[in-house]
Amino acid sequence: MKKTGLTSFFDALHLVLSNVRAVEPVGRSLLSAAGFVLREDIRADRHLPPFHRSAMDGYAVRLSELAAGKTLFRQVGTLEAGSAWKGKVGKGDCLKIMTGAPVPGMLDVVIQVEQSRLSGGMVELAGPGVCKFLNIHRMGADAKKGALLLKKGAVLSPRNIAVASSVGAVRLAVSRPIRVAVVSTGRELVPAAATPSPSGIRDSNSPFLMARLKTIPWINASFAGIVKDDPRKLETILAAALEKNDMVILSGGVSMGDADHTPAVLERLRVKNIFHKSAIRPGKPIWFGTSGKKAVFGLPGNPVSVGATFHEFALPALKKMAGISDPHVRVLYLPLGATAKKSHPLREFRVARLVDGGAAVSPVETYQGSGDFVSASQSDGLIVIPEDRCEMPAREIVEFHPWDMP
Ligand code: AMP
Ligand code: MG
């Protein structure tokens, strides 16, 4: 535990991730599990496909006969998807077959309808260039019975729901929703609906955090209110929020100002401080602590600091609590569309936007610093300017953390 000085970004992230645990799993029905985090492995209950599946509408025949130069076949029946052929298919015979129907064992190619012709009551099929299992999706080709299809820790995307459905997994073990409370602190703050005094500010951090949390299906977020830098009120609200939630996210009041009461109040509530202040910009005064299994983030109040520190620290913590196998933020490596500069030795997370149709990323030119949420609203994510760099020239490959890829 480090309480004084600046904790490096990577040490801070490590401290966050090593101090939170996955919540317990619960059972949910297939569709209501969509978007949640899977907490069990899902395996194939039979081969996929479960039989040699015709991949085309056409005619099933023996390759050996085609290879021997035979072109005219007698049609002995028609097989639809969902039916099985019980009869025989003798020498010189073919079976009309529809996409999805099981190809009988004695036949090994399907010639598509487009390559056939009816001629004098017989079916004429084109033979050259045909190889074994043409247009047959072979039994077990996609997955063998017992194969691991979905891994514990996966987020159940619509595609994953389709896979679970196909093996009959109608009830899934998923992480229960993570309960998160959001608190804004600051004497100057009023709710968005109120008219601020000339020195007042409308709260934008809580609406940001609530909206961001709302986009995550496995989170239950609640707004605990605005606290006007009154330590006693803050203590009451935080005590209640801690009681009912897995994580509390505060904004404001963690710097060195006279009204920055958050750390002292949290310590009074026996929330153990894990680190305070990291060598990053924006967001340097960030405070992180735990109380049993619960986590508390005190994010610096400037709106861009909130956006950056939520993304870089709180989101990975939430992902770990939800049991996601890799809780780190998503990183894309893209060329810079313009030079990125800084003049401090901290790790900078600079608001940036995709350019050239997403082939490059550029810092938002108008950005005025961590209070400038207007410029930040033009961004698609953050680029990283490492501690030891003052300037990254255009075209250099930069780390880009998109806001909207979970
Ligand atoms: P603090 O971290 O409390 O020193 O706040 C830093 C700056 O962010 C100040 O200019 C605050 O007015 C501003 N700020 C703090 N909280 C909010 C909020 N909830 N919404 C908008 N701005 C805020
Ligand atoms: Mg404040």
Side-chain angles (χ1 to χ4, degrees):
M1 195 193 334
K2 201 162 168 188
K3 284 204 170 188
T4 50
L6 297 183
T7 307
S8 78
F9 169 72
F10 288 107
D11 285 351
L13 181 60
H14 175 75
L15 285 170
V16 166
L17 290 177
S18 55
N19 276 286
V20 294
R21 298 275 165 277
V23 297
E24 64 278 14
V26 292
R28 273 184 104 96
S29 66
L30 182 64
L31 266 188
S32 71
F36 277 67
V37 181
L38 187 64
R39 294 292 289 279
E40 60 179 328
D41 288 339
I42 299 293
R43 294 179 178 277
D45 65 331
R46 52 183 191 152
H47 290 328
L48 294 173
F51 45 81
H52 288 323
R53 186 183 75 89
S54 179
M56 290 283 172
D57 297 324
Y59 294 91
V61 285
R62 289 178 181 80
L63 176 63
S64 57
E65 294 192 59
L66 282 177
K70 188 170 174 55
T71 53
L72 288 177
F73 293 85
R74 188 171 66 105
Q75 184 186 331
V76 292
T78 299
L79 193 61
E80 305 264 355
S83 319
W85 183 251
K86 300 228 169 58
K88 284 206 323 200
V89 183
K91 250 191 112 195
D93 293 345
C94 70
L95 184 64
K96 191 164 191 194
I97 195 163
M98 305 304 151
T99 304
V103 180
M106 58 285 210
L107 307 178
D108 52 9
V109 290
V110 171
I111 306 295
Q112 60 193 99
V113 170
E114 293 85 338
Q115 306 291 329
S116 72
R117 219 156 52 121
L118 292 179
S119 136
M122 299 290 275
V123 184
E124 190 183 335
L125 300 175
V130 172
C131 302
K132 198 166 176 180
F133 299 121
L134 176 70
N135 297 324
I136 296 175
H137 186 184
R138 294 175 67 185
M139 176 165 74
D142 301 353
K144 297 277 183 284
K145 180 176 177 175
L148 182 60
L149 302 181
L150 300 175
K151 255 192 173 150
K152 182 176 169 171
V155 178
L156 289 162
S157 67
R159 292 161 298 284
N160 291 347
I161 292 291
V163 169
S165 177
S166 74
V167 301
V170 291
R171 211 168 165 78
L172 296 166
V174 297
S175 295
R176 68 158 172 81
I178 315 291
R179 294 181 288 263
V180 184
V182 170
V183 183
S184 279
T185 72
R187 182 185 306 280
E188 71 280 26
L189 301 179
V190 296
T195 306
S197 69
S199 56
I201 294 285
R202 288 194 185 92
D203 175 23
S204 63
N205 288 343
S206 298
F208 162 75
L209 287 167
M210 290 299 293
R212 180 67 185 92
L213 293 165
K214 222 172 93 175
T215 65
I216 305 173
W218 41 266
I219 284 179
N220 263 348
S222 57
F223 176 45
I226 296 174
V227 184
K228 292 193 177 274
D229 292 329
D230 169 347
R232 235 169 280 219
K233 264 231 173 85
L234 186 58
E235 190 167 334
T236 311
I237 287 196
L238 280 181
L242 274 168
E243 175 102 22
K244 286 182 277 185
N245 292 278
D246 303 301
M247 182 186 286
V248 178
I249 305 178
L250 292 121
S251 70
V254 286
S255 320
M256 302 309 284
D258 294 347
D260 292 340
H261 306 298
T262 306
V265 170
L266 284 167
E267 295 202 26
R268 265 211 300 285
L269 287 168
R270 297 191 193 292
V271 180
K272 187 171 102 190
N273 180 227
I274 306 293
F275 70 86
H276 186 190
K277 300 191 181 115
S278 178
I280 57 169
R281 183 172 291 175
K284 189 171 79 175
I286 182 173
W287 192 102
F288 172 69
T290 56
S291 168
K293 291 180 180 167
K294 297 160 190 277
V296 179
F297 282 98
L299 307 182
N302 271 309
V304 186
S305 309
V306 170
T309 50
F310 174 83
H311 194 79
E312 298 297 329
F313 293 111
L315 191 55
L318 288 166
K319 287 160 88 173
K320 175 126 190 245
M321 289 171 115
I324 292 180
S325 45
D326 179 6
H328 295 91
V329 299
R330 286 287 195 92
V331 180
L332 303 179
Y333 294 90
L334 290 173
L336 275 170
T339 305
K341 287 186 188 172
K342 71 172 171 64
S343 51
H344 56 72
L346 307 171
R347 190 172 187 82
E348 170 113 11
F349 296 93
R350 178 76 56 83
V351 288
R353 57 193 180 81
L354 291 166
V355 294
D356 295 345
V361 63
S362 289
V364 177
E365 313 80 37
T366 53
Y367 180 62
Q368 299 298 313
S370 60
D372 183 7
F373 53 89
V374 177
S375 291
S377 74
Q378 303 297 309
S379 66
D380 298 305
L382 299 165
I383 54 169
V384 179
I385 312 176
E387 292 79 347
D388 58 353
R389 298 292 298 276
C390 296
E391 184 170 328
M392 295 180 79
R395 285 191 286 281
E396 182 169 341
I397 300 295
V398 70
E399 214 181 280
F400 174 57
H401 301 181
W403 295 131
D404 295 331
M405 277 168 87

